Amino acid sequence: MNMRSTRSTVTFSNPFTLPGYPGDLPAGDYEVLVEEELLQGLSFEAYRRTATYLTVRGRGGHAGRTELRAISDSDLKEALSRDRAATEKNNHGEAAPSPQEDLK
């Protein structure tokens, strides 16, 4: 069985939560590891995702430790979507209204 791993980075602008894990995670950059296996018997090369992990660095008494947290692709997308919505809400709430032009 042929496997491949892909790493990417996602950025959270706000603290966030993940289903199945207690507590909030801080805003920042997180590495995502995706593992896939080669599908056999096809006339073209195709892979199937077998696992997705989010790399979480320890805090406080766990500083210096790194944990790979299993996460579904849909949970990751949902967390990123909530983060974008919170950032947009914060940006719109902090923006000063622009002065109206004098139309005379």
Side-chain angles (χ1 to χ4, degrees):
M1 176 172 26
N2 291 333
M3 300 288 292
R4 73 177 181 185
S5 297
T6 307
R7 294 181 187 274
S8 61
T9 301
V10 294
T11 301
F12 287 92
S13 299
N14 305 284
F16 65 102
T17 60
L18 294 174
Y21 294 102
D24 288 350
L25 293 169
D29 294 335
Y30 289 81
E31 187 175 88
V32 177
L33 173 66
V34 175
E35 293 183 347
E36 300 170 305
E37 68 180 354
L38 180 65
L39 297 175
Q40 302 292 327
L42 300 175
S43 60
F44 55 92
E45 190 173 279
Y47 286 84
R48 178 177 66 101
R49 183 181 302 233
T50 58
T52 303
Y53 300 98
L54 187 71
T55 303
V56 178
R57 291 178 184 80
R59 297 179 289 165
H62 299 288
R65 294 173 61 185
T66 301
E67 177 183 358
L68 286 178
R69 293 190 178 182
I71 182 172
S72 72
D73 188 49
S74 61
D75 286 344
L76 179 59
K77 287 179 182 176
E78 179 62 30
L80 287 166
S81 178
R82 285 192 311 266
D83 183 65
R84 275 192 302 276
T87 298
E88 288 175 8
K89 180 180 176 185
N90 290 341
N91 287 343
H92 291 309
E94 295 172 4
S98 58
Q100 292 183 356
E101 291 183 12
D102 188 8
L103 300 176
K104 293 182 183 180

